[in-house]
Amino acid sequence: MPHLSNAFAVESFIDEIAHTMREDPLKTRLRILGEPRSLPLSSGGTLDTGRLANVLKLVADRIEWKNWLRTVNGLGIACWHVDGAYVAHAIEVAMQGEKLVIQRVVCAVDVGRVINPRGLEGQVAGATLDALSTALNLAITFKDGQIQQHSYKDYPLASMAQLPDAVEVITVNDDRAPAGASFLAMPTAAPALANAVFRASAVRVRRLPLMKELLRLL
């Protein structure tokens, strides 16, 4: 899925730009998005910068982003768009020695008119947990042309202890034609997590799976 790799690269890099400029990462993103407007995409369709900025502001408000410099924990944020739908994640983490604790996860989505609110919330929460599990641990590797993973022992899905107790889901409901949720909540989970880890540990993770790289760099 190109959205997953592209979002991780772009949203991590924007965070690095903000850090270099000594600027609030939320303000950096909002400044890049600029005034609400519709931009044509080379792949077809349009990007509504106002809708993308809105989901960013919603997760930032819910997770109390105003404390991002003062909290002892790490806060990370990321946003993306997929086929006319918009998503943002804000994540709070803590480092306990070499143990990473994901304390809070907030996700806001704008898919236009919401047909099935409970279904959308479940889809968003499930996709978020799937994305976090993938980001934390999972990788397919090769040796002498052979795949090295053969079972869940070699491909460890995240345990309940590694994941947050809940995913707080915010849905924007308006009169626009509905867009699909599908894997909408997956692209921004990993970069928001990595950005939060940087705030908590001062370690910038640029490769996944995150835990292997984090432990290598600590």
Side-chain angles (χ1 to χ4, degrees):
M1 295 181 185
H3 282 290
L4 303 186
S5 54
N6 290 348
F8 183 76
V10 171
E11 287 299 299
S12 296
F13 187 55
I14 291 176
D15 217 66
E16 292 199 42
I17 291 173
H19 178 70
T20 300
M21 296 178 66
R22 298 185 178 182
E23 186 176 39
D24 180 334
L26 173 62
K27 292 182 178 178
T28 303
R29 286 172 171 82
L30 294 175
R31 179 166 52 80
I32 291 172
L33 289 172
E35 293 299 317
R37 63 201 188 282
S38 182
L39 301 176
L41 300 174
S42 59
S43 58
T46 59
L47 165 65
D48 187 323
T49 63
R51 294 174 73 185
L52 191 55
N54 183 51
V55 290
L56 262 177
K57 293 174 183 177
L58 287 171
V59 295
D61 182 65
R62 177 69 66 86
I63 210 164
E64 298 182 316
W65 184 265
K66 62 185 178 182
N67 298 321
W68 76 281
L69 272 180
R70 295 188 291 273
T71 177
V72 296
N73 296 333
L75 296 179
I77 201 166
C79 64
W80 202 247
H81 60 96
V82 180
D83 298 331
Y86 301 85
V87 60
H89 273 96
I91 296 180
E92 180 178 359
V93 305
M95 294 297 301
Q96 298 177 357
E98 294 186 342
K99 181 183 178 183
L100 173 65
V101 179
I102 303 176
Q103 296 193 326
R104 286 187 69 192
V105 176
V106 180
C107 182
V109 292
D110 179 351
V111 298
R113 189 184 309 117
V114 178
I115 306 301
N116 183 341
R118 293 281 183 97
L120 177 60
E121 184 175 342
Q123 180 71 21
V124 170
T128 296
L129 294 175
D130 188 4
L132 291 174
S133 177
T134 301
L136 286 168
N137 302 319
L138 302 185
I140 297 294
T141 58
F142 295 83
K143 184 176 181 180
D144 299 326
Q146 299 294 315
I147 295 176
Q148 294 180 289
Q149 289 72 34
H150 302 286
S151 69
Y152 286 124
K153 178 181 178 181
D154 310 314
Y155 193 73
L157 299 173
S159 66
M160 291 179 67
Q162 287 182 294
L163 295 172
D165 292 338
V167 177
E168 301 172 48
V169 179
I170 306 169
T171 58
V172 178
N173 195 1
D174 59 35
D175 293 330
R176 293 181 176 89
S182 186
F183 66 96
L184 173 65
M186 296 192 72
T188 48
L193 177 62
N195 294 337
V197 166
F198 175 72
R199 296 292 181 296
S201 67
V203 173
R204 178 68 69 180
V205 176
R206 298 186 177 95
R207 300 175 61 183
L208 299 176
L210 185 143
M211 286 308 302
K212 180 180 179 181
E213 187 70 1
L214 176 60
L215 293 176
R216 184 183 74 84
L217 295 171
L218 281 174

